[in-house]
Amino acid sequence: MKIAVCIKRVPDTEMRFTIAADAKSIDASGLKYEISTFDEYAVEAALRLNEAAGVGEVTVVGLGPAGLGELLRRALSMGADKAVHLTADDVPFDGMAIAQALAAELKDGGYDLVLFGRNATDTGNGTVGPMTAHLMGVPCVTAVTHLEVADGRGTAHREVEGATETVTFPLPAVLSVDEGLGRPRIPSLKGIMAAKKKPLEEKPAQLGPVRLVVDKLVPPPERAAGRIVGEGADAVPALVDLLRNEAKVL
């Protein structure tokens, strides 16, 4: 199968973040970047599908600034065959603007599957995959935890509250991947060396109009200080009273 995987460059979520002076973005000084967590699951899913079939091609596609190239190389070192870097100085918050750029790149690529992560770990929106599917005019299944493909059709499982939903769909299709399809592999030294010779094409991103913007970022309020209501069994009545009448959780 011919599979495209769309990845996003996001700040390392284990770092401490501060709001920039414009109050609309994160201060980028000193930040480290990584592939969005669920996008790595999508890369792994694509590789496993083609390894099981014994044939196929995986292309990773990313939209972003120059630093994205390093992360595209990481996906190549995991086993992807080639990469496309849609260059843009800034990645807008507007999912449709991004989807238009991705759809313009993907629609004529002859891909059987286009995979996204369930959502991006920086915004958590989960909108770009479905919007790209709409612009391409193909079926979309989100938050996939199990996937089988045969004879031009796919069967996907989605975990919903208290149950598993099974969906069938024709190819080509766009899917967003959850973590159930397998943990991402760690690139081997051989894979890292091979990635240096794999093709990575750069071209300007054809972003759509940006209609959705971040107006303001505000840090969460400081937590109130804890309270000690007593010690031992004698404190239980007071604690129950507070939980019932103040916190209202009982």
Side-chain angles (χ1 to χ4, degrees):
M1 281 190 299
K2 190 174 182 181
I3 305 173
V5 184
C6 297
I7 69 170
K8 186 178 183 183
R9 174 181 179 261
V10 299
D12 183 341
T13 53
E14 304 215 351
M15 299 190 70
R16 185 176 294 276
F17 300 96
T18 57
I19 297 175
D22 63 2
K24 298 181 180 181
S25 60
I26 299 297
D27 185 354
S29 57
L31 287 183
K32 295 180 181 179
Y33 292 88
E34 61 185 7
I35 300 173
S36 182
T37 301
F38 290 106
D39 294 350
E40 280 199 303
Y41 284 112
V43 174
E44 180 65 26
L47 296 174
R48 291 192 183 197
L49 281 171
N50 280 348
E51 286 168 355
V55 65
E57 179 181 84
V58 175
T59 301
V60 285
V61 180
L63 186 154
L68 175 62
E70 178 183 350
L71 299 181
L72 289 168
R73 287 290 180 195
R74 174 176 171 79
L76 291 173
S77 69
M78 291 172 68
D81 300 290
K82 58 183 182 179
V84 178
H85 182 181
L86 304 178
T87 58
D89 292 336
D90 296 299
V91 179
F93 186 77
D94 190 331
M96 181 57 80
I98 299 169
Q100 286 184 301
L102 293 176
E105 170 63 26
L106 297 167
K107 64 181 180 181
D108 296 324
Y111 297 106
D112 300 296
L113 284 174
V114 176
L115 304 185
F116 290 79
R118 186 187 71 188
N119 56 38
T121 50
D122 56 350
T123 64
N125 286 341
T127 60
V128 176
M131 288 176 172
T132 303
H134 171 72
L135 294 171
M136 294 176 65
V138 298
C140 179
V141 184
T142 59
V144 173
T145 59
H146 176 78
L147 178 63
E148 297 176 2
V149 178
D151 301 324
R153 295 189 66 83
T155 301
H157 293 174
R158 304 176 68 248
E159 299 301 321
V160 296
E161 188 172 355
T164 299
E165 183 177 76
T166 302
V167 181
T168 60
F169 55 90
L171 303 184
V174 171
L175 309 178
S176 72
V177 173
D178 210 336
E179 57 184 316
L181 288 175
R183 295 194 64 81
R185 65 194 66 187
I186 297 173
S188 64
L189 178 59
K190 181 179 179 181
I192 293 170
M193 298 304 294
K196 296 178 180 180
K197 299 180 180 180
K198 292 180 180 179
L200 195 166
E201 181 181 5
E202 291 187 3
K203 58 180 74 174
Q206 299 178 43
L207 289 163
V210 177
R211 299 186 177 93
L212 183 66
V213 297
V214 175
D215 184 60
K216 189 177 183 181
L217 290 176
V218 180
E222 294 288 339
R223 287 188 176 185
R227 292 159 59 187
I228 298 175
V229 297
E231 295 183 6
D234 293 339
V236 172
L239 178 60
V240 171
D241 180 68
L242 288 171
L243 291 173
R244 178 180 292 122
N245 299 311
E246 185 173 315
K248 300 187 184 300
V249 296
L250 294 179

